[in-house]
Amino acid sequence: MKKRVTLTFPKRAIQMPVTYRLAKDFNVAANIIRAQVAPNQIGKLVVELLGDIDALDAAIDWMRSQDISVSFASREIVIDEDVCVDCGLCTGVCPTEALTLDPQTFRLTFMRSRCIVCEQCIPTCPVQAISTNL
């Protein structure tokens, strides 16, 4: 089973080898989608967890016991087509090619099924046409 979660680490837990512990102790694979981690600061990881449902639940319980906030990702990328100018800057940072420019019309196309909600496109948009639904 797969679960996409956002992990928020307190300053004291930044050095903890969480992905190692998930793999070793719970047999859960962690695919890091986005990371903002720096010494002595609150850290955030967006990860896709893959494993047996009971192992995932145990791993999430363990992370919460370590004061790591776990929230389930249910957000989606939203593009305001009235604001978008089809400049294509977002296509250059999209790791999954969910955002592309149509070669015929040069209009932005968004393939929601490819999007991993890494949010790299949001700060790239010069007209702020891209956001999340939450």
Side-chain angles (χ1 to χ4, degrees):
M1 171 173 216
K2 282 185 187 179
K3 289 188 181 184
R4 182 176 298 151
V5 297
T6 300
L7 307 177
T8 305
F9 296 83
K11 292 178 185 180
R12 65 173 182 72
I14 290 295
Q15 302 297 327
M16 186 183 304
V18 174
T19 55
Y20 169 78
R21 295 283 309 271
L22 291 174
K24 184 177 182 302
D25 298 345
F26 300 98
N27 197 30
V28 170
N31 178 27
I32 299 172
I33 297 169
R34 185 174 187 189
Q36 293 175 317
V37 181
N40 299 317
Q41 293 183 14
I42 293 173
K44 283 195 180 235
L45 278 180
V46 178
V47 294
E48 188 174 73
L49 302 176
L50 177 63
D52 178 72
I53 183 68
D54 294 329
L56 287 174
D57 289 342
I60 289 168
D61 289 343
W62 171 78
M63 288 186 285
R64 288 183 171 146
S65 76
Q66 301 299 309
D67 294 326
I68 298 169
S69 170
V70 180
S71 59
F72 295 94
S74 59
R75 297 180 300 180
E76 289 185 346
I77 293 294
V78 177
I79 300 171
D80 186 338
E81 293 181 15
D82 294 332
V83 176
C84 180
V85 295
D86 301 300
C87 68
L89 288 175
C90 57
T91 65
V93 297
C94 183
T96 62
E97 296 182 356
L99 293 164
T100 58
L101 283 179
D102 183 299
Q104 302 295 322
T105 64
F106 296 103
R107 303 258 322 157
L108 184 69
T109 58
F110 177 50
M111 210 178 226
R112 189 172 312 283
S113 62
R114 286 185 157 188
C115 181
I116 58 172
V117 195
C118 68
E119 299 181 16
Q120 292 183 48
C121 55
I122 294 173
T124 304
C125 182
V127 295
Q128 300 175 346
I130 305 174
S131 61
T132 57
N133 62 347
L134 292 178

